Amino acid sequence: MSLPYKTCLLIDDNYIDNFVTRRILESGNFAEEIVVSQSANEAIASLRDGEIVPDVIFLDLRMPMMNGFEFLSEMDKIEFEGKDKLKVFMLSSSLDPNDVRRSSENKYIIQFIHKPLTHKILEELGS
């Protein structure tokens, strides 16, 4: 049985959130490889250098230096294989309706998910 995704990129500045989300993704057999970045800038550099070619991204919204929407704007400027099929899940604790609205208007974002990611939510993403 092949896993749903080859490479999953998890971008969140919070170590604990990354730890929990990664464990959920691993135990749910969500992707062959899960790459964690604690900085949107670091993730952009990895995409630009071709170090990572994700087919799915779990992206935090509120991060220092570069937020999730700024990350998507920068990512849009980078050419990489499979970008046209890339799925982004905004993973945030934000309750701001404007964040949900902006997410629904972004061409990369498939769904806005309120933290924390759970096995139930992960199962729903696969169905």
Side-chain angles (χ1 to χ4, degrees), residues 22-123:
R22 181 184 191 125
R23 298 293 277 200
I24 298 277
L25 293 169
E26 287 173 344
S27 64
N29 290 319
F30 191 74
E32 291 176 29
E33 178 183 27
I34 299 167
V35 179
V36 178
S37 178
Q38 280 194 249
S39 151
N41 287 322
E42 176 186 294
I44 287 293
S46 294
L47 288 170
R48 194 173 285 127
D49 296 344
E51 292 174 20
I52 181 168
V53 181
D55 44 349
V56 65
I57 297 175
F58 282 87
L59 177 62
D60 185 23
L61 176 56
R62 306 228 188 268
M63 296 180 284
M65 312 287 255
M66 182 187 297
N67 71 35
F69 292 120
E70 291 166 337
F71 167 84
L72 291 170
S73 177
E74 287 302 307
M75 182 193 76
D76 197 40
K77 300 173 189 173
I78 303 169
E79 289 304 318
F80 59 90
E81 186 180 336
K83 183 168 111 175
D84 58 326
K85 296 181 183 120
L86 179 67
K87 293 182 179 180
V88 176
F89 296 100
M90 187 66 83
L91 188 59
S92 179
S93 54
S94 171
L95 298 174
D96 185 340
N98 289 321
D99 290 337
V100 176
R101 180 190 50 77
R102 282 184 70 192
S103 293
S104 70
E105 294 169 353
N106 187 283
K107 67 181 179 182
Y108 295 108
I109 299 174
I110 302 300
Q111 188 173 338
F112 187 99
I113 301 169
H114 290 281
K115 286 182 182 178
L117 182 66
T118 64
H119 284 288
K120 184 179 185 325
I121 292 169
L122 197 60
E123 286 172 16

